[in-house]
Amino acid sequence: MFLWVATAHFLALLSPGPDFFLVVRTGLAGGWRPAFWTSLGIAAANGVFIALALGGLSLLQPDSPLFRLLQAAGGLYLLYLGWMSWRHAGASTLETPATPTDARPAPRQARTCFWPGLWSGLLNPKNALFYASLAALLGPEVSVGWKWLTGLWMVLAVLGWDTLVGSALGHATVRRRFARALPGLERACGAALAASGAAVCIAAGWRR
């Protein structure tokens, strides 16, 4: 189950969204250091939603009607995300206008890059729904330790991937190659999310 959730989460990271483009813009403007601090803010916001999702679901009885209702709703949302990712594969563009390199001192640069990343993640309601849906995949048979290990892994995956993207896509050649591969990645993301959603819906319906 850990591998299933981690894979679905990572494939979702490949699909561009507001956080993705913020990191790309920051990396194009200032290089890997600003991209790292922006990515750290985004990862912190994701950590908040992950903790709320795991903590909230852990308070519910596994066989309660509310838990099953949340499972079913989360599964349907993952199905919706999968369908939208598949349907709009290839519609995203990585072209973002570059701005002059930020030459401010490192401490100030860290603050000015961290907070936009944090607020971008916190103010995106899709993040809350997405992590609640993924948390629903981790049923009662998964121990608390494994659930929080999964949460930690997802935070580190967000930080690592966004930092890599912000640093690498500053190079035109890398950006062009990634753009060519993006439609296929988005379709893979859609298929994985839809399969995850179907699994959650089935689990919610079969559990007694």
Side-chain angles (χ1 to χ4, degrees):
M1 187 59 69
F2 170 83
L3 292 176
W4 184 266
V5 172
T7 301
H9 174 253
F10 181 72
L11 288 173
L13 288 179
L14 302 181
S15 183
D19 295 344
F20 181 93
F21 286 110
L22 175 62
V23 170
V24 170
R25 180 182 296 273
T26 304
L28 289 174
W32 74 269
R33 285 188 176 86
F36 168 78
W37 289 110
T38 300
S39 301
L40 186 62
I42 293 171
N46 280 254
V48 170
F49 287 124
I50 290 170
L52 290 174
L54 293 177
L57 288 180
S58 66
L59 296 177
L60 299 176
Q61 294 295 325
D63 295 323
S64 67
L66 180 57
F67 182 86
R68 294 175 64 181
L69 178 62
L70 289 175
Q71 261 198 323
L76 291 174
Y77 183 67
L78 289 177
L79 283 170
Y80 168 77
L81 287 181
W83 162 248
M84 294 300 291
S85 183
W86 184 278
R87 180 182 178 185
H88 297 290
S92 303
T93 175
L94 298 181
E95 296 301 322
T96 59
T99 56
T101 300
D102 190 346
R104 285 171 288 188
R108 186 180 175 189
Q109 186 184 78
R111 292 194 299 271
T112 55
C113 293
F114 174 84
W115 290 109
L118 179 68
W119 288 116
S120 175
L122 289 176
L123 296 177
N124 186 355
K126 291 183 179 180
N127 284 340
L129 294 172
F130 176 68
Y131 284 115
S133 301
L134 280 187
L137 278 174
L138 301 172
E141 67 277 1
V142 179
S143 68
V144 174
W146 274 108
K147 288 180 180 179
W148 288 107
L149 178 61
T150 303
L152 176 61
W153 169 262
M154 289 191 287
V155 171
L156 293 177
V158 171
L159 176 60
W161 173 250
D162 284 349
T163 301
L164 178 63
V165 165
S167 303
L169 293 187
H171 300 278
T173 301
V174 175
R175 190 162 62 252
R176 284 195 300 269
R177 291 178 178 176
F178 189 82
R180 286 197 296 268
L182 192 56
L185 293 173
E186 290 181 313
R187 291 188 181 94
C189 168
L193 291 177
S196 300
V200 173
C201 290
I202 292 172
W206 282 2
R207 181 168 292 139
R208 294 290 184 265

